[in-house]
Amino acid sequence: MEKKSFTFDEIKLKMVNYCIYQDRCHAEVEQKMKEFLLIDEAKEEIILYLLKENYLNEERFTRSYIRGKFYIKHWGRAKIRIHLKQKQISEKLISKCFDEIDEDDYEKTIRRIYEDYYSKQSGLKEYQRKSKTIKYLMSRGFEYEKNK
């Protein structure tokens, strides 16, 4: 299939709409721009424009991502941190933004997931139920220290 060519302004508008639809990180925007076969100077100009107009904001993206993954998907901090690092977000920014998760909410979520999963384990010895439940919580990104 032949690729449609766009003018610089059309591409810029597409990237603005891409960022408006949902908060994006730099890596996602750069990946999206690869579709358009732009020269480096054009890519830089678009990214600078998106930053200047606040369409692209790494901290806002990170905070939004953390809230969504915790409050909607019920992921733990470890899993969220790994996924943010894959999106090339700095460790410093990740740590700064974890204040989006209320500590009481975090504890309640761990307790609720633990109790739900634990109650579904039947036909196992007590230590097996606990072990399986803790492994499950860790797979969801919750820290071992918090699972006790």
Side-chain angles (χ1 to χ4, degrees), residues 64-147:
S64 166
Y65 190 89
I66 289 171
R67 279 192 311 274
K69 294 305 180 193
F70 176 70
Y71 288 104
I72 296 167
K73 297 263 190 186
H74 306 295
W75 287 6
R77 286 188 184 107
K79 188 171 184 174
I80 293 170
R81 176 173 267 116
I82 288 167
H83 282 256
L84 283 169
K85 281 185 177 178
Q86 287 173 342
K87 293 183 178 294
Q88 299 164 10
I89 305 296
S90 73
E91 180 62 46
K92 188 177 178 183
L93 183 58
I94 295 170
S95 297
K96 176 184 171 190
C97 294
F98 264 126
D99 64 1
E100 287 295 316
I101 300 175
D102 181 66
E103 200 56 44
D104 289 342
D105 290 347
Y106 199 73
E107 300 288 334
K108 286 176 192 165
T109 300
I110 290 174
R111 215 170 302 119
R112 193 187 74 248
I113 295 172
Y114 182 94
E115 288 164 7
D116 287 351
Y117 193 83
Y118 184 84
S119 67
K120 292 175 186 167
Q121 306 305 310
S122 57
L124 298 171
K125 292 184 173 80
E126 178 71 16
Y127 75 91
Q128 291 172 314
R129 288 173 77 184
K130 276 186 178 178
S131 171
K132 210 170 174 179
T133 304
I134 287 172
K135 282 181 185 169
Y136 175 72
L137 279 167
M138 289 177 69
S139 76
R140 297 286 299 265
F142 293 98
E143 305 84 348
Y144 181 74
E145 303 76 48
K146 299 268 185 191
N147 292 322

Side-chain angles (χ1 to χ4, degrees), residues 4 25-26 30 32 34 37 39 42-43 45 47-49 54 59 69 78 91 103-104 117 128 140:
K4 186 178 182 325
C25 66
H26 283 70
E30 286 177 21
K32 181 75 174 167
K34 284 183 182 173
L37 307 171
I39 60 171
K43 285 180 191 175
E45 189 175 324
I47 286 185
L48 286 171
Y49 174 77
N54 206 23
E59 182 173 346
K69 294 305 180 193
E91 180 62 46
E103 200 56 44
D104 289 342
Y117 193 83
Q128 291 172 314
R140 297 286 299 265

Side-chain angles (χ1 to χ4, degrees), residues 8-87:
F8 177 78
D9 289 331
E10 288 173 329
I11 294 171
K12 194 159 125 179
L13 184 61
K14 282 183 174 296
M15 296 311 300
V16 165
N17 289 331
Y18 181 67
C19 292
I20 288 174
Y21 177 74
Q22 176 183 319
D23 279 330
R24 308 286 182 180
C25 66
H26 283 70
E28 290 171 332
V29 170
E30 286 177 21
Q31 185 63 42
K32 181 75 174 167
M33 279 199 288
K34 284 183 182 173
E35 295 174 17
F36 300 113
L37 307 171
L38 291 163
I39 60 171
D40 289 342
E41 288 82 4
K43 285 180 191 175
E44 282 176 34
E45 189 175 324
I46 290 173
I47 286 185
L48 286 171
Y49 174 77
L50 294 172
L51 288 167
K52 186 172 70 83
E53 298 299 321
N54 206 23
Y55 292 116
L56 183 59
N57 183 318
E58 203 95 308
E59 182 173 346
R60 184 179 62 217
F61 165 80
T62 304
R63 289 184 178 283
S64 166
Y65 190 89
I66 289 171
R67 279 192 311 274
K69 294 305 180 193
F70 176 70
Y71 288 104
I72 296 167
K73 297 263 190 186
H74 306 295
W75 287 6
R77 286 188 184 107
K79 188 171 184 174
I80 293 170
R81 176 173 267 116
I82 288 167
H83 282 256
L84 283 169
K85 281 185 177 178
Q86 287 173 342
K87 293 183 178 294

